[in-house]
Amino acid sequence: MKTTKITLMLSATAMLGACATTGSDYDTAARDAAEAVAAAVEDAATAGEAVSNEDGRLLAFYEELDQQDLANSPISKSYRGIRDADYGRWDDPSEAAAEADFKRGQDALAKMKAEFSPANLNADNQLSYRLFEYQQDRAKRAFAFRNNDYIFDQMRGAQSQMPAFLINIHRVSTKQHAADYVSRLYGLGPYMEQLVRMSAERADNGVIVPDWVFPYVINDAQNVITGAPFTEGEDSPLFADLKKKVTALDIPQSEKDDLISRGKEALLDSVKPAYEKLGIEMKRQQAMAADGDGVWRFTDGAAYYAERLQNYTTTNLSADEIHQIGLENVERIHGEMRKIMKQVGFEGTLQDFFKYARTDSRFFYPTRKAYLADANAAIAAMEKRVPDYFNTLPKAPLVVKPVEAFREKSAGKAFYQSPAPDGSRPGTYYVNLYNLKDMSKNEMEALAYHEALPGHHLQRAIQTELGDLPAFRRFGGVTAYTEGWGLYSEELGKDMGFYTDPYSDFGRLGMELWRACRLVVDTGIHHKRWSREQAIQYLTDNTPNPDGDIRKAIERYIVYPGQATAYMIGKLKIMELRAKAQRELGDKFTYGDFHDVILRSGPVPLTIMEERVNDWIAEKSL
């Protein structure tokens, strides 16, 4: 559109230059040219207004859809920091609600295609159009396999996620917020009971976790209903949290006492029976559990796993191709590790070095306090350096917290929670200190850079703070992008001058090796039908990680098919694109500009990331 307007105006102006300089011919030509210029300007203004209106209408369309989605998800509202009349409610977990959510997205896609033309949109909205189309296409592929997901497992199971939500997300600043907390406690029972029924139906259809998962789930559930008011002893996790939040309110003591009393009643009358029913159902399913760990056990397991790989990697790579990429990168990283062995003067094989790293006490922290102190120090040092490598920095603060006791036995080793967009909740780096022998000193730096700065906190806080973008881009996710960035950030730390201790650098390589091995074991489990023990042995032979770390990781990959492959696939693409930009731009390359291209779009599929970087390279090359 802009090219056409400029061309019209230049053509009209050129007519003046081609005219005679005297007489009526000049007057006629000048008049004609002036009229052409005026017409071109009017057309340009009209076209510009149309484009502007089209952009505005599209943004309003996305906003309306986001409001509809939020109206159907009180949980999403809470994550966004929205505390309104729905604050005391849970989402509807039913099949009917899932179908309605899916239909709303597909109907919106059809409406967008019918009412908007990408040619009439600015560059940002053209990208939003493509990303919304991608998002809904991905949702359509996933919806066909929705009943293959596990509801209760040790990683993302509702038995621990819902209490964690109340403790970490449900903030209490007023008496009403506390009443909403109590309301959610009353609602937690029916919510969990519905999930238990859905889990039973899936199990009866062959979608059942391996037998070793059940003790984790049963233990998590029992932890929720252990302690006052359920049993003797200290307060249970939810009762302690409610008391703490209510006690901090500036309201009369009588009102505090009433809220706590009602909360106690909700825990006993609603939460306890539901969790007891969960325990009974888990024991029933455990007796039904069949041999095998991968989703190949399912009737449509092969197709389901192919969809999961496409979903998480945003590529069309097959399981066999991903497996081979993993093997090649394992070999490469082993070579780099042998260089560090020579640097520190270690004599023996690489496997000997692995054993040394996983067993010698010098590589582990004596206390949780010591680990947290070093993690905070590493993040503080990184915080001083990031302005040299990034043009855009997050506004949200960051805190480091240990995983809560009630879920630390089953939770992963580390994870990140995004900040609330209104600034009411910081970004949070959770580190699991349940067993310090699973948390090597060698990996502490790389883990902090991945989860905090310049990894997930920087990327996801910036994403949340892109206020001019539609909500689905600010709050959505693409795993290969997000986790690829996290893994890229680990290596970026070395480019920035960190990992001065060779053992810490070895830890960085160990973390990268871990992600390369994931490509091998994830596809091994779900495609090549490896057993849990076979996958554990592969990591034992090929990584320096301690046994507990290895077992927990393999158990994660089993219940979360495909997700673990996204890290290395995403990181390799970012590194490939950066190397290309450095090679082609030379002195024109800056880290800050490159990182803006990656980060200021929000999460995108790897194909679109590559297009954006290539366009930036072409523009900078001019």
Side-chain angles (χ1 to χ4, degrees):
M1 295 290 286
K2 291 181 179 178
T3 302
T4 303
K5 287 183 263 180
I6 293 170
T7 301
L8 284 170
M9 295 175 73
L10 288 176
S11 297
T13 306
M15 291 173 62
L16 287 172
C19 293
T21 56
T22 58
S24 60
D25 288 341
Y26 174 84
D27 294 337
T28 301
R31 184 172 59 253
D32 290 344
E35 290 174 355
V37 170
V41 170
E42 183 177 354
D43 289 345
T46 302
E49 183 179 353
V51 172
S52 177
N53 288 342
E54 193 87 340
D55 286 317
R57 285 199 312 113
L58 183 66
L59 291 175
F61 167 79
Y62 290 142
E63 175 62 22
E64 180 182 0
L65 180 61
D66 183 55
Q67 291 304 310
Q68 292 173 7
D69 289 340
L70 287 173
N72 286 279
S73 179
I75 291 176
S76 295
K77 283 185 180 180
S78 297
Y79 276 111
R80 298 259 198 106
I82 300 170
R83 297 184 286 183
D84 59 10
D86 289 334
Y87 200 46
R89 296 175 51 238
W90 298 103
D91 292 7
D92 181 353
S94 69
E95 176 69 12
E99 290 175 352
D101 289 344
F102 174 68
K103 184 177 185 300
R104 185 167 59 253
Q106 296 299 301
D107 288 348
L109 175 63
K111 183 177 181 180
M112 183 185 76
K113 288 182 174 180
E115 297 187 7
F116 298 94
S117 170
N120 293 333
L121 301 170
N122 64 29
D124 274 344
N125 283 323
Q126 285 179 359
L127 180 56
S128 293
Y129 187 105
R130 291 182 66 191
L131 291 174
F132 187 77
E133 187 174 29
Y134 167 79
Q135 180 191 73
Q136 295 306 319
D137 286 346
R138 183 173 69 163
K140 184 176 183 179
R141 291 191 298 270
F143 191 71
F145 299 102
R146 65 194 180 281
N147 290 322
N148 283 352
D149 291 339
Y150 299 131
I151 295 175
F152 298 105
D153 61 50
Q154 83 284 6
M155 281 297 301
R156 299 172 296 161
Q159 79 283 351
S160 58
Q161 290 301 308
M162 307 321 296
F165 171 89
L166 284 169
I167 292 170
N168 296 303
I169 305 302
H170 189 110
R171 295 177 298 112
V172 172
S173 304
T174 68
K175 179 183 175 181
Q176 182 58 50
H177 299 156
D180 290 333
Y181 191 116
V182 173
S183 178
R184 274 183 161 154
L185 287 177
Y186 274 112
L188 183 56
Y191 184 93
M192 290 294 293
E193 288 182 9
Q194 186 162 2
L195 292 180
V196 169
R197 289 192 295 271
M198 293 170 65
S199 175
E201 291 174 4
R202 294 183 188 185
D204 291 341
N205 289 323
V207 176
I208 185 168
V209 295
D211 60 356
W212 53 263
V213 175
F214 291 101
Y216 286 121
V217 177
I218 293 169
N219 182 73
D220 283 350
Q222 192 59 46
N223 286 344
V224 173
I225 55 174
T226 296
F230 309 106
T231 62
E232 298 294 330
E234 297 182 359
D235 288 339
S236 62
L238 286 173
F239 199 36
D241 184 59
L242 175 65
K243 283 184 174 180
K244 178 181 177 182
K245 289 173 177 174
V246 170
T247 300
L249 291 175
D250 185 16
I251 59 175
Q253 185 62 44
S254 60
E255 295 180 7
K256 294 180 182 180
D257 292 342
D258 179 63
L259 287 164
I260 292 171
S261 176
R262 287 161 52 200
K264 176 181 178 180
E265 181 180 83
L267 288 166
L268 291 171
D269 294 349
S270 181
V271 176
K272 182 180 180 181
Y275 271 75
E276 288 175 339
K277 290 176 183 177
L278 170 61
I280 293 169
E281 175 58 26
M282 290 298 98
K283 290 174 183 176
R284 182 188 81 89
Q285 291 186 25
Q286 186 173 19
M288 300 164 49
D291 292 336
D293 296 295
V295 296
W296 55 264
R297 296 173 293 127
F298 300 170
T299 302
D300 53 359
Y304 172 52
Y305 187 54
E307 181 275 326
R308 292 288 82 192
L309 290 179
Q310 185 180 31
N311 178 291
Y312 287 121
T313 69
T314 71
T315 72
N316 292 317
L317 291 168
S318 69
D320 286 326
E321 289 171 324
I322 290 173
H323 192 85
Q324 185 59 34
I325 292 171
L327 292 173
E328 292 169 358
N329 279 278
V330 167
E331 184 177 358
R332 170 183 62 81
I333 298 166
H334 279 173
E336 294 184 39
M337 286 179 151
R338 289 187 177 95
K339 295 177 184 177
I340 290 184
M341 284 174 56
K342 292 182 180 179
Q343 182 181 353
V344 298
F346 184 87
E347 296 183 0
T349 66
L350 184 59
Q351 282 66 33
D352 292 336
F353 197 49
F354 288 166
K355 184 178 180 180
Y356 172 58
R358 72 166 64 103
T359 59
D360 195 287
S361 61
R362 66 175 290 193
F363 300 125
F364 298 94
Y365 287 91
T367 65
R368 296 183 176 207
K369 183 178 180 181
Y371 189 103
L372 292 170
D374 276 6
N376 277 295
I379 293 168
M382 174 60 75
E383 192 171 18
K384 294 178 181 178
R385 292 284 286 137
V386 288
D388 296 334
Y389 285 79
F390 292 88
N391 298 338
T392 305
L393 298 173
K395 299 181 180 67
L398 170 71
V399 297
V400 183
K401 291 177 63 175
V403 174
E404 304 89 351
F406 77 91
R407 59 171 175 159
E408 65 181 358
K409 185 176 180 180
S410 61
K413 69 187 297 179
F415 48 94
Y416 174 79
Q417 180 180 283
S418 296
D422 64 355
S424 60
R425 185 183 68 246
T428 306
Y429 166 29
Y430 285 96
V431 58
N432 193 340
L433 302 177
Y434 174 72
N435 184 357
L436 290 173
K437 288 295 184 182
D438 292 342
M439 302 297 287
S440 171
K441 279 185 180 181
N442 297 338
E443 293 181 350
M444 184 279 301
E445 260 194 282
L447 198 59
Y449 302 155
H450 179 110
E451 299 293 347
L453 288 174
H456 288 326
H457 177 65
L458 187 143
Q459 180 263 307
R460 285 166 63 177
I462 288 174
Q463 174 191 351
T464 300
E465 292 161 6
L466 294 173
D468 53 342
L469 295 184
F472 78 90
R473 290 178 62 183
R474 293 176 60 207
F475 304 111
V478 177
T479 309
Y481 171 98
T482 302
E483 296 299 353
W485 176 264
L487 184 50
Y488 165 78
S489 296
E490 295 175 23
E491 184 161 339
L492 180 63
K494 185 169 180 63
D495 299 326
M496 298 169 72
F498 293 98
Y499 305 107
T500 54
D501 181 341
Y503 284 107
S504 188
D505 198 27
F506 174 76
R508 173 190 68 82
L509 288 171
M511 294 279 282
E512 185 183 19
L513 177 64
W514 194 242
R515 278 44 169 265
C517 286
R518 283 177 174 176
L519 303 183
V520 179
V521 296
D522 195 288
T523 52
I525 292 164
H526 297 292
H527 175 63
K528 296 181 179 294
R529 305 193 176 194
W530 287 12
S531 68
R532 170 177 172 239
E533 289 69 28
Q534 189 176 354
I536 287 171
Q537 190 60 51
Y538 181 85
L539 291 188
T540 302
D541 292 342
N542 288 282
T543 77
N545 294 65
D547 181 70
D549 200 11
I550 287 171
R551 289 182 177 277
K552 183 170 287 190
I554 293 301
E555 291 170 356
R556 165 191 167 179
Y557 310 151
I558 288 171
V559 300
Y560 209 171
Q563 191 268 353
T565 66
Y567 296 66
M568 196 66 176
I569 297 299
K571 188 248 186 173
L572 290 172
K573 177 56 68 174
I574 297 174
M575 292 298 294
E576 171 195 323
L577 295 174
R578 193 184 80 180
K580 179 180 180 180
Q582 290 173 315
R583 182 174 63 251
E584 297 190 13
L585 293 179
D587 292 342
K588 293 183 178 180
F589 175 87
T590 68
Y591 278 96
D593 289 346
F594 173 76
H595 291 151
D596 268 355
V597 175
I598 301 295
L599 294 172
R600 292 194 62 80
S601 64
V604 295
L606 300 184
T607 50
I608 292 180
M609 178 194 291
E610 186 165 12
E611 288 178 18
R612 286 176 53 78
V613 172
N614 286 339
D615 289 345
W616 171 69
I617 291 172
E619 181 182 335
K620 291 280 286 186
S621 298
L622 295 177

